[in-house]
Amino acid sequence: MQRIAVLTSGGDAPGMNAAIRAVVRKAIYHDLEVYGIERGYVGLIEGVFHKMDLGSVADVIQRGGTILHTARSKEFMQPEGRQKALENLRQRGINGLVVIGGDGSFRGALELHKLGFPVIGVPGTIDNDIYGTELTIGFDTAVNTVLEAINRIRDTATSHERTFLVEVMGRNSGWIALEAGLAGGAESILVPEIEPDYNEVVERLKRGIARGKRHSIILVAEGVESAYKVSDEIKTRIGLDTRVTVLGHIQRGGTPTALDRVIASKMGGLAVELLLQGESNLMTGIVGNKMVTVSLEEAVTIKKTLDLEAYNLAGILSI
Ligand code: F6P
């Protein structure tokens, strides 16, 4: 192994830059040449590669987003696109690739591995929906961003004695809603993994009102239903004065938390070590505060389950 490359793909996540920095600096430490590929698989197909040095990743550890830019490539889904990508890598004498992204990105990485190219995945997505790791890069920052929003909303909700619905990201995954809801003391948390029970939501609101509670916060993961629709449901059933806040892409930006920077640095460093050991088809992960690996096949085919114990606890604590 003499020359490796790194790309970021799919939705950006705070901490991706810390991971790029770790890959670049660990590679240079081991006397490898390292190339950054622009816009994920799009740049891989179009041949947009830049040689990176120590200075290329200076002053980025604290920045959200990704300095390499990111994209979702349709062409890479086709065998012709992947062949072009492979040629670009081989022409430049690159013999290992680190892919930082989510499950869609890893599906692409797996295809490259099947073509005989060494690839290591580093999980970077705010959704925390990747099997094989307890944490993905960006999740902790996103949860803290939502929590800050909840704190602010709680001030106005308390003052006006209102019920607020806060819609958070997560098309197929309720991790952001669950952890931000648990940390923010939400009255109800609606996640895509569990069929919403509006009677239960309303019952909880009624119980709160009966004991003198005049404000409530309900977290809705985007994959469940639009928070506006949930708000209408509640209005129709108990006629409460509700307001809706959709947090949207605010959750994807911002300076990464210490935890995201630490796991990004560890995972990026491990990815380079794995390539140096001649490994491929692996994703880096963290389980029980220890670095682990899982195969890319497992990472993309096994569904990570929501922490139901934490979900039930959140329900008990917010009665
Ligand atoms: O996968 C990350 C994520 O932010 C999801 O939570 C969300 O559903 C999706 O990306 C939004 O994608 P886009 O930025 O393409 O609208």
Side-chain angles (χ1 to χ4, degrees), residues 220-281:
V220 185
E222 63 177 337
V224 176
E225 181 63 282
S226 150
Y228 286 98
K229 287 215 175 126
V230 179
S231 166
D232 290 344
E233 271 303 322
I234 291 169
K235 270 190 196 154
T236 317
R237 288 173 194 232
I238 50 170
L240 273 181
D241 188 19
T242 57
R243 291 291 184 277
V244 175
T245 303
V246 178
L247 294 179
H249 286 79
I250 284 173
Q251 294 158 92
R252 283 241 295 263
T255 186
T257 59
L259 178 59
D260 273 331
R261 296 182 203 194
V262 168
I263 66 168
S265 302
K266 288 183 178 176
M267 289 190 190
L270 177 59
V272 174
E273 269 172 38
L274 291 168
L275 284 176
L276 280 168
Q277 288 161 15
E279 296 284 359
S280 178
N281 186 27

Side-chain angles (χ1 to χ4, degrees), residues 10-13 72 102-103 124-129 168-173 176 222-223 248-249 251-252:
D12 63 334
R72 293 185 169 106
D103 56 348
T125 165
I126 64 164
D127 294 342
N128 199 32
D129 59 347
V168 300
M169 277 186 163
R171 266 193 294 245
N172 305 309
S173 160
I176 296 178
E222 63 177 337
H249 286 79
Q251 294 158 92
R252 283 241 295 263

Side-chain angles (χ1 to χ4, degrees), residues 41-192:
Y41 294 118
V42 173
L44 186 54
I45 291 171
E46 291 173 357
V48 193
F49 291 56
H50 304 296
K51 185 156 183 233
M52 302 191 80
D53 57 26
L54 293 175
S56 315
V57 286
D59 204 23
V60 303
I61 198 167
Q62 79 286 10
R63 280 168 56 190
T66 159
I67 54 167
L68 291 176
H69 305 282
T70 184
R72 293 185 169 106
S73 166
K74 288 210 170 69
E75 210 185 334
F76 196 74
M77 312 272 194
Q78 307 305 320
E80 301 76 36
R82 293 198 286 271
Q83 273 307 329
K84 261 196 237 169
L86 201 60
E87 275 160 35
N88 281 333
L89 287 163
R90 290 203 167 131
Q91 265 169 19
R92 288 165 179 79
I94 293 168
N95 32 27
L97 176 67
V98 178
V99 171
I100 305 168
D103 56 348
S105 312
F106 294 159
R107 264 182 212 110
L110 182 57
E111 291 306 320
L112 267 186
H113 162 78
K114 285 182 184 161
L115 292 171
F117 197 85
V119 193
I120 301 293
V122 170
T125 165
I126 64 164
D127 294 342
N128 199 32
D129 59 347
I130 311 279
Y131 175 81
T133 184
E134 282 171 359
L135 289 171
T136 58
I137 297 165
F139 171 64
D140 185 61
T141 307
V143 168
N144 278 289
T145 302
V146 173
L147 192 58
E148 197 196 323
I150 292 175
N151 291 341
R152 288 167 191 264
I153 287 168
R154 194 177 278 286
D155 287 345
T156 177
T158 315
S159 306
H160 283 265
E161 303 183 312
R162 278 173 175 157
T163 293
F164 267 82
L165 291 110
V166 181
E167 185 180 303
V168 300
M169 277 186 163
R171 266 193 294 245
N172 305 309
S173 160
W175 277 97
I176 296 178
L178 170 58
E179 294 232 335
L182 182 57
E187 272 63 31
S188 290
I189 303 172
L190 302 183
V191 294

Side-chain angles (χ1 to χ4, degrees), residues 287-303:
V287 174
N289 210 20
K290 295 258 179 312
M291 301 306 295
V292 296
T293 57
V294 64
S295 75
L296 287 173
E297 273 105 347
E298 285 177 298
V300 300
T301 53
I302 304 178
K303 181 148 173 60

